[in-house]
Amino acid sequence: MENIRVLVRGLGNMGSGMAKMVIDKEGLDLVGGVAGRPNKVGKDVGEVVGREAIGVNVNNDLVAEIKDKKPDVVLQANTSFTKDAFPEIKEILEQGVNVISIAEEMAYPSVQEKELAQQMDEIAKKNGVSVLGTGVNPGFVLDTLIIALSGGAISVDSIKASRVNDLSPFGATVMKTQGVGTTVEEFNKGVEEGTIVGHVGFPESIYMIADALGITLDKIEETREPIVSETYRETEHVKVEPGMVAGCRHVGKGFKDGEELIVLEHPQQIHPDKEGVDTGDYIYIKGNPEINMSINPEVPGGVGTIATAVNMIPLLVDAPAGLTSMKDLPVPRAIVGDVKKIMGRR
């Protein structure tokens, strides 16, 4: 059995991290890297991502690189939204190559883009390959992990889960989309105008959970509220005075028969420790039996996304052709040994 050939599209923080992980894993071969930034094109992809040279140069033409390198899987790491990810995914699938995208909406794309999801499914099946959207969240903590824990319950009355994390390591773009450094008035205006979005992926996670449990929801509601700082906080990209916004408390709720059935919370802020807030991932399933899970601190966002995407490679390659999701594939697991020993290539 040959190694799985992997190409990474997008060599920012997430793409570079995935490329490094692929290089380090036995049974995976990094055969290509495609980047939009001219300063990376032509350089050895190993050196671009902080490893030794591997004899593979970065390209800026995705289709040409696929035709030349003939990968089994493309890891797409350059957008958050299905409508933006779709054109490239279509090109990749039409070349007969599997796709794993970390675009948040791709975790369950039919929620926001039903027609595009149907097209991806049809194109993938026609070409005998598969496409998956995943990451740490959505993709793992607030959906797949909840689904897995529910397997130990006879009945489920309600689900409440929260992911409390520290935004401090992130860059200027994330600070803007989370409203960090704004006044309360600016935050509320940004939410109304759509410039402050909070977490991308609550509808995808909630519907994935509901579908996995055989539940038909009536509706989903989302709220975004400012986390107002009582202390001075600062990162490389933003300064927050007392009374200013340090983050966003984003909540998504799925309703059944007028009752809250699935509630997901994601309060994100810079330096939560400044006000005694511990980070962590928390899941509470009310039912028979009641199930409580706490992970302290939280599964790191960047590392978790990189790991989940790469660890799903052998499971996706083994999957039936078409559009799939984390609820449809085997439980994710770390790649520790040779990938070839833990899978059977179709």
Side-chain angles (χ1 to χ4, degrees), residues 26-136:
E26 186 178 1
L28 300 179
D29 288 336
L30 183 64
V31 299
V34 175
R37 295 183 181 180
N39 64 324
K40 296 181 179 180
V41 177
K43 297 180 179 178
D44 189 284
V45 66
E47 295 177 335
V48 167
V49 304
R51 287 286 192 269
E52 295 181 357
I54 62 172
V56 176
N57 290 337
V58 178
N59 201 338
N60 61 357
D61 188 324
L62 178 60
V63 174
E65 189 75 342
I66 290 173
K67 290 181 177 179
D68 181 44
K69 302 300 173 54
K70 297 178 172 55
D72 298 304
V73 179
V74 170
L75 300 177
Q76 185 194 49
N78 60 333
T79 185
S80 292
F81 305 100
T82 298
K83 64 181 180 180
D84 297 329
F86 175 77
E88 284 190 350
I89 290 176
K90 179 176 181 290
E91 290 180 330
I92 298 165
L93 296 176
E94 288 175 340
Q95 297 300 316
V97 178
N98 299 287
V99 182
I100 294 177
S101 175
I102 63 169
E104 288 94 328
E105 287 186 353
M106 277 297 298
Y108 219 49
S110 60
V111 174
Q112 308 285 357
E113 303 287 350
K114 187 174 182 179
E115 184 176 333
L116 294 183
Q118 183 175 347
Q119 288 184 46
M120 283 187 281
D121 186 53
E122 292 172 352
I123 296 168
K125 288 177 178 176
K126 180 179 179 181
N127 290 277
V129 290
S130 305
V131 54
L132 169 72
T134 194
V136 73

Side-chain angles (χ1 to χ4, degrees), residues 185-306:
E185 291 75 15
E186 290 169 341
F187 180 95
N188 292 332
K189 183 179 179 182
V191 170
E192 290 179 5
E193 295 177 346
T195 56
I196 294 177
V197 299
H199 170 62
V200 177
F202 271 149
E204 287 72 20
S205 292
I206 291 171
Y207 276 116
M208 187 193 303
I209 295 166
D211 287 349
L213 272 59
I215 298 168
T216 300
L217 295 174
D218 301 328
K219 62 177 180 177
I220 284 181
E221 293 181 354
E222 295 183 74
T223 59
R224 299 166 182 85
E225 298 177 349
I227 298 174
V228 181
S229 185
E230 296 181 2
T231 59
Y232 177 77
R233 314 187 201 186
E234 180 180 348
T235 74
E236 179 184 353
H237 302 282
V238 67
K239 296 179 180 180
V240 176
E241 300 285 349
M244 295 177 67
V245 176
C248 177
R249 181 179 290 104
H250 193 166
V251 180
K253 298 179 179 181
F255 291 82
K256 174 68 173 175
D257 299 327
E259 301 290 332
E260 296 178 2
L261 184 63
I262 302 172
V263 178
L264 305 181
E265 301 178 346
H266 200 358
Q268 304 183 76
Q269 59 186 301
I270 63 169
H271 297 302
D273 57 296
K274 291 282 188 179
E275 297 189 11
V277 176
D278 293 328
T279 63
D281 296 313
Y282 311 96
I283 296 172
Y284 171 57
I285 299 176
K286 182 180 179 182
N288 180 18
E290 294 190 353
I291 298 174
N292 284 276
M293 185 215 72
S294 297
I295 300 175
N296 301 99
E298 84 281 10
V299 179
V303 174
T305 292
I306 290 164

Side-chain angles (χ1 to χ4, degrees), residues 173-190:
T173 299
V174 170
M175 297 301 144
K176 291 179 181 178
T177 60
Q178 297 292 333
V180 180
T182 64
T183 64
V184 172
E185 291 75 15
E186 290 169 341
F187 180 95
N188 292 332
K189 183 179 179 182

